[in-house]
Amino acid sequence: MFKAFRARMRRIKDQLALLEQLRVPLEELPGGQEQWIQDSMEWLIEQFGSDVFNRPIVRPSAFIPAGYDGSEAAARKLFEKVRERMGVPRGRLVLRFDLDDIDPAVIHTKAQRQLTGATRLRFGLWVPGRNRNTVFTSRRLLGEPSVLVANFAHEIGHELLIGEGRITSDRPDHESLTDLLSVFQGFGIFVANASFGPLPGGDRNGTMAMSYLRERALSDALAYYAFRRGTRGVPPWEDELDRPVRSGLIARLKQLQDAAQPGK
């Protein structure tokens, strides 16, 4: 019985270690997480302007239509709303829902660090083309509109960063920067909430980590986003964040606000 107990405790410990890894950034962030977020956010402001940065944040309660039915037609309407918000001209991108049908052997993407026991699924892909570029997404997301919006914001972000020549795909932190662009563009609530949770359209007992910045860094990114916009106290939109993200946001934002006080 003692051996069985020890084995059970070992399994629990391994699972907790896995969940911890799923909450930290997938890519190494040059200069450390906090400095990278600040430097990269300032670079995005230089690239896209303070007017874009200071627009009202996108709140899921207002952005997702009440009648969203999980169809491809409804998802396309969401895609167009995200595209328009992010300033990509109509007709530049093609949206397809057959990502799951593509042979992985023909998708040339950077190798990703694997975590034992973790679910590694690809939910979106941006592919450049001769005349128009394509965003692929998985049908598994159709029933999860908030996750779908996070996915769209990330893939459309590739269009703004790589498609418009601001960075190249061989930049080591380009995926993390694309996540941060989603925060910059106002979709931080979606991306942060979707960064860790149950598998969309699958086994509800399974756990996924969808973003590259992941939950911990996205909490810090949202905190700097709020701080840089002059937020005093807690931002009014914090109630739409999942509890772990909200807790991280509040703690980091307080640090930033305290450090900005005169004499500190």
Side-chain angles (χ1 to χ4, degrees):
M1 180 175 291
F2 182 69
K3 288 183 178 180
F5 174 78
R6 288 184 61 183
R8 180 171 179 271
M9 293 304 295
R10 186 164 54 250
R11 287 195 299 271
I12 293 174
K13 183 178 179 180
D14 290 343
Q15 182 64 20
L16 291 174
L18 168 63
L19 296 180
E20 179 69 16
Q21 290 183 72
L22 292 176
R23 285 188 162 98
V24 300
L26 182 62
E27 298 178 328
E28 183 177 354
L29 302 177
Q33 179 172 300
E34 295 175 2
Q35 191 63 51
W36 180 90
I37 288 170
Q38 294 185 32
D39 292 345
S40 299
M41 190 72 80
E42 295 302 324
W43 181 82
L44 290 172
I45 293 172
E46 292 176 4
Q47 291 292 311
F48 296 96
S50 57
D51 289 344
V52 174
F53 177 65
N54 288 311
R55 293 177 300 180
I57 195 170
V58 182
R59 301 184 66 150
S61 58
F63 193 78
I64 298 174
Y68 180 83
D69 60 6
S71 65
E72 289 189 10
R76 287 187 184 279
K77 290 181 180 179
L78 270 184
F79 179 83
E80 290 301 314
K81 290 180 68 174
V82 178
R83 176 200 57 75
E84 183 176 5
R85 163 78 186 210
M86 295 181 73
V88 174
R90 180 186 297 274
R92 185 188 291 180
L93 292 170
V94 176
L95 175 63
R96 292 176 54 170
F97 296 95
D98 56 345
L99 177 63
D100 299 333
D101 302 329
I102 299 176
D103 183 353
V106 305
I107 302 177
H108 301 288
T109 57
K110 183 172 62 175
Q112 299 176 359
R113 176 166 52 91
Q114 300 295 314
L115 300 176
T116 303
T119 299
R120 298 296 302 146
L121 298 173
R122 178 175 289 280
F123 294 113
L125 185 67
W126 174 86
V127 178
R130 178 172 299 178
N131 297 315
R132 292 190 295 175
N133 301 330
T134 302
V135 168
F136 291 87
T137 193
S138 169
R139 294 187 184 94
R140 286 172 291 188
L141 300 187
L142 290 175
E144 307 282 349
S146 290
V147 180
L148 193 63
V149 169
N151 181 265
F152 287 157
H154 180 90
E155 301 308 330
I156 293 172
H158 284 309
E159 180 68 23
L160 292 173
L161 292 176
I162 300 175
E164 294 187 357
R166 289 182 170 89
I167 64 171
T168 60
S169 59
D170 59 358
R171 175 171 167 161
D173 62 345
H174 85 272
E175 292 286 6
S176 293
L177 185 64
T178 308
D179 278 343
L180 191 67
L181 175 61
S182 299
V183 177
F184 171 88
Q185 288 277 356
F187 290 99
I189 298 174
F190 292 90
V191 179
N193 285 349
S195 64
F196 181 83
L199 291 173
D203 179 8
R204 305 308 269 183
N205 294 321
T207 301
M208 73 150 194
M210 194 174 92
S211 64
Y212 285 77
L213 283 182
R214 304 278 178 82
E215 186 178 88
R216 299 284 167 78
L218 285 165
S219 294
D220 282 2
L222 278 169
Y224 188 73
Y225 171 85
F227 173 76
R228 185 64 169 74
R229 287 156 57 97
T231 300
R232 296 183 178 181
V234 179
W237 38 265
E238 57 87 21
D239 60 327
E240 298 208 37
L241 290 168
D242 290 348
R243 182 178 298 176
V245 181
R246 186 188 312 137
S247 298
L249 159 73
I250 293 172
R252 178 58 182 153
L253 181 56
K254 187 176 187 306
Q255 289 178 346
L256 291 167
Q257 292 168 340
D258 288 347
Q261 294 298 317
K264 294 190 177 181

